[in-house]
Amino acid sequence: MILLIILGVVAGLCVPLQTSINTKLGSYTKSPILSSFYSFLIGTIVLIIVNLIMNPQKLSPSFMMNQDFSYVWFTGGLLGVVFLTGNLLLLPRIGAALTVVMTVSGQIIMGIFIDQFGLFNADIHPINLERIAGVIIMLLGILLMNYKKSSDRIITTKSQHTNYWMVLGIFTGCLPPIQTAINSALRYEVQSFYFSALISFAIGTIALFILSLLLVRRIRFSFHHPDQGTIKPLYFIGGVLGVVFVTTNILLMPELGAALTLMVVIFGQMLMGLLIDHLGLFNTPKFKITARRLIGATLVFIGIVILKLF
């Protein structure tokens, strides 16, 4: 159980890091949609290799011909497209930490609905006072971690449309719990979490390829930026981080349940969001880690423990 929880935290660490790396890739593609396409494409290639090693029989035409292609084959990948592209739009406008807090809030809201009503064939975990207390403690911790006084702010980016971006963050945050539940259902249809992750990424890649041709009208990009120089190989690993996130969620949800999987992943997102802000990684706005933010991280952890116990 402890190892699974640690694995969930590691998966959460990947999300802000992936967003930051893909944002840098976007400097060269000049389009968040095109950046998302290459991220999904790389993730798909990685998963094809993994499945060739782990599940070669799943890639055979005979296996595919015997499948019932229900909505779970397609929806998870499309939701992943919206979530990733939304994050790429948010991060340069409201910063890493605020992007995390808005998307995390959406994840908590949707996670509660999934648990309460057993949506997408998930196990039902009715809301009770203890679970409400755990969520409130987590939200308080998140606010403490991301509230910034003017003295904390080293680099600032302001936008008159910040509130609209925050609403977009909540909306996109609602998508990962749905995606995880749907991909977990797909796992049982194809009897492999590696193959279900591949399907999710492949559908996302196809959707982004079509969007790139329709909206961006190209899939080529420049490997050289006038200000940032030649593109670094590091900027292409976002897809690999996405593979870790999606595959780990599919693996953990049946073992830990929807709520606990969600919370440990959120905790990982919080930690990486703090680190990115503290160091100003990838030229993001820099915000120092303070005692208040560390207390917030502790409250998030306490909220996870409460949700686990009740």
Side-chain angles (χ1 to χ4, degrees):
M1 176 67 74
I2 299 298
L3 289 177
L4 292 176
I5 290 175
I6 293 174
L7 186 59
V9 173
V10 171
L13 294 174
C14 293
V15 177
L17 190 58
Q18 179 194 26
T19 301
S20 299
I21 289 173
N22 284 347
T23 300
K24 294 300 294 183
L25 179 60
S27 300
Y28 294 85
T29 63
K30 306 297 184 182
S31 167
I33 293 177
L34 199 54
S35 178
S36 295
F37 165 68
Y38 281 105
S39 181
F40 266 77
L41 177 62
I42 292 168
T44 301
I45 293 171
V46 170
L47 283 167
I48 288 174
I49 296 171
V50 170
N51 279 274
L52 284 173
I53 297 171
M54 305 296 296
N55 300 302
Q57 72 281 1
K58 303 288 186 185
L59 300 176
S60 65
S62 60
F63 177 81
M64 298 297 293
M65 291 295 292
N66 291 324
Q67 299 302 308
D68 293 324
F69 297 101
S70 64
Y71 76 97
V72 299
W73 280 73
F74 308 100
T75 313
L78 297 177
L79 293 177
V81 167
V82 179
F83 176 67
L84 178 59
T85 306
N87 277 355
L88 292 179
L89 291 171
L90 290 170
L91 189 136
R93 292 169 174 84
I94 62 177
L98 194 53
T99 296
V100 170
V101 73
M102 289 296 101
T103 54
V104 160
S105 298
Q107 289 176 59
I108 292 174
I109 292 169
M110 184 53 63
I112 290 173
F113 273 96
I114 290 175
D115 271 357
Q116 177 67 22
F117 300 105
L119 302 178
F120 311 108
N121 298 319
D123 293 334
I124 296 177
H125 298 278
I127 296 175
N128 53 39
L129 291 178
E130 291 83 359
R131 292 171 66 81
I132 291 174
V135 170
I136 291 174
I137 290 172
M138 279 199 68
L139 288 173
L140 178 59
I142 291 169
L143 290 174
L144 282 174
M145 289 172 68
N146 293 279
Y147 174 75
K148 303 175 182 68
K149 296 180 180 178
S150 58
S151 58
D152 297 332
R153 193 166 294 188
I154 299 173
I155 301 174
T156 164
T157 55
K158 290 188 178 284
S159 169
Q160 59 180 342
H161 302 298
T162 296
N163 290 337
Y164 298 112
W165 292 116
M166 291 169 66
V167 171
L168 176 63
I170 293 176
F171 169 75
T172 57
C174 289
L175 303 182
I178 301 175
Q179 180 190 23
T180 298
I182 289 174
N183 284 345
S184 294
L186 177 59
R187 170 195 178 180
Y188 289 106
E189 281 201 18
V190 299
Q191 299 180 342
S192 168
F193 58 85
Y194 293 117
F195 192 59
S196 61
L198 172 58
I199 293 169
S200 182
F201 265 80
I203 293 298
T205 301
I206 294 169
L208 285 164
F209 178 74
I210 295 172
L211 287 174
S212 296
L213 294 180
L214 292 177
L215 302 179
V216 187
R217 299 186 178 182
R218 60 183 171 86
I219 58 172
R220 297 178 60 186
F221 67 94
S222 173
F223 284 83
H224 184 80
H225 192 280
D227 298 322
Q228 301 180 39
T230 304
I231 195 169
K232 299 177 181 178
L234 174 68
Y235 299 160
F236 290 98
I237 70 168
V240 179
L241 296 173
V243 167
V244 174
F245 175 72
V246 171
T247 307
T248 301
N249 274 278
I250 296 172
L251 171 65
L252 293 181
M253 187 171 174
E255 305 297 331
L256 299 181
L260 186 56
T261 297
L262 174 64
M263 297 310 163
V264 295
V265 169
I266 284 174
F267 186 60
Q269 292 179 53
M270 294 283 101
L271 292 180
M272 183 53 71
L274 279 178
L275 182 62
I276 290 173
D277 273 359
H278 182 71
L279 299 177
L281 298 177
F282 307 105
N283 297 322
T284 58
K286 186 183 291 185
F287 304 102
K288 290 287 187 180
I289 293 178
T290 62
R292 181 183 67 252
R293 304 185 84 188
L294 290 176
I295 292 172
T298 303
L299 289 177
V300 172
F301 180 76
I302 292 173
I304 291 173
V305 172
I306 292 174
L307 285 165
K308 170 63 181 119
L309 294 177
F310 299 97

